[in-house]
Amino acid sequence: NAGVTQTPKFQVLKTGQSMTLQCAQDMNHNSMYWYRQDPGMGLRLIYYSASEGTTDKGEVPNGYNVSRLNKREFSLRLESAAPSQTSVYFCASNWDRANQPQHFGDGTRLSIL
Amino acid sequence: AQKITQTQPGMFVQEKEAVTLDCTYDTSDPSYGLFWYKQPSSGEMIFLIYQGSYDQQNATEGRYSLNFQKARKSANLVISASQLGDSAMYFCAMRGAGGTSYGKLTFGQGTILTVHP
C-alpha cells in the first residue's frame, strides 16, 4: 500500500539553486496539498489543488510554484532557493468528504545553505 | 480565518495512566471538522481521530477519545492507558467545510508527549 509517495527524502541545496519536490498518490483522491513544517510552528499550507488542473495558494506560498500534472501527481518547485526555505515538506491528499482525514507522505527534509 | 491553539508545548505522563492534550479553536464556519495527528520521532504523520462539528457524541478510537465542547470551542484528546510508544508530537487540526476554508487543514503548534516507564 503505497499511499502518498514523496521524493526525494533528503536534499541539500545551495542558495539560488532550483529544485522540484515530487508527490504522487495512488488513492484516487481529488485533493492534494503541500505543507511545510518548521520547529515550533506546526504545519503550514503552501499550496493546494482541489482537482486536476486547479491550484490555489495557502498560507505561505511566496517562493514556491506548484503543478498538478494529473490526478495522481502534485509537484512543488523552488525556483531560487533561500535559507528561509529550509524545512520539512509534506505532501498530503484526501477524499472530498468532511470526515475524511488527509493522508500524508513521509516528508522531504530540505536544507538550503 | 481559522485558528488552532495548543497551549501545552510538552506533557509528561506515567505509563498506564491517562493524559489529556488540550486544543482550542476559532472559526466562523458553521460546519467544520477537527482532527488529531500523531508524529513520532521518525517523522510521519499518523491520523488518530476525527470529530465533526455536528456530531452529537464524542469520537472514540480505541485508546483515543476526543472531549469535544463546542460552546467552549475545545477539542481535547484523551489518551487512556498510556504506552511508551505514545511518546510523540501530537497535532490538533481543523478543516473548514465551506467557503475559502473548504478542505484545507489548519494545524496547531503541537504538544510533545513523553511517556515515562
Side-chain angles (χ1 to χ4, degrees), chain A residues 33 35 37 40-43 45 48 57 90 94-106, chain B residues 33 35 37 39 42-45 47 50 89 91 95 97 100 102-110:
Chain A
Y33 309 82
Y35 295 89
Q37 183 179 19
M41 299 190 72
L43 277 74
L45 183 65
Y48 69 101
K57 296 177 180 179
F90 286 96
N94 64 254
W95 291 110
D96 295 328
R97 293 184 182 177
N99 65 345
Q100 293 300 305
Q102 290 186 6
H103 298 263
F104 286 80
D106 289 339
Chain B
F35 299 80
Y37 284 86
Q39 187 177 43
S42 50
E44 71 269 30
M45 295 289 287
F47 165 69
Y50 165 84
M89 175 78 88
F91 289 102
R95 182 160 78 202
T100 57
Y102 182 75
K104 295 180 283 187
L105 277 180
T106 300
F107 284 83
Q109 294 180 324

Side-chain angles (χ1 to χ4, degrees), chain A residues 50-109:
Chain A
S51 62
E52 183 180 351
T54 68
T55 61
D56 210 342
K57 296 177 180 179
E59 181 184 354
V60 287
N62 291 345
Y64 306 95
N65 287 302
V66 290
S67 295
R68 182 74 182 267
L69 304 171
N70 48 54
K71 191 170 186 177
R72 290 186 63 249
E73 298 172 290
F74 187 38
S75 62
L76 178 72
R77 182 163 178 83
L78 287 71
E79 290 290 352
S80 179
S84 61
Q85 294 177 304
T86 294
S87 189
V88 180
Y89 291 86
F90 286 96
C91 178
S93 69
N94 64 254
W95 291 110
D96 295 328
R97 293 184 182 177
N99 65 345
Q100 293 300 305
Q102 290 186 6
H103 298 263
F104 286 80
D106 289 339
T108 295
R109 189 174 297 275

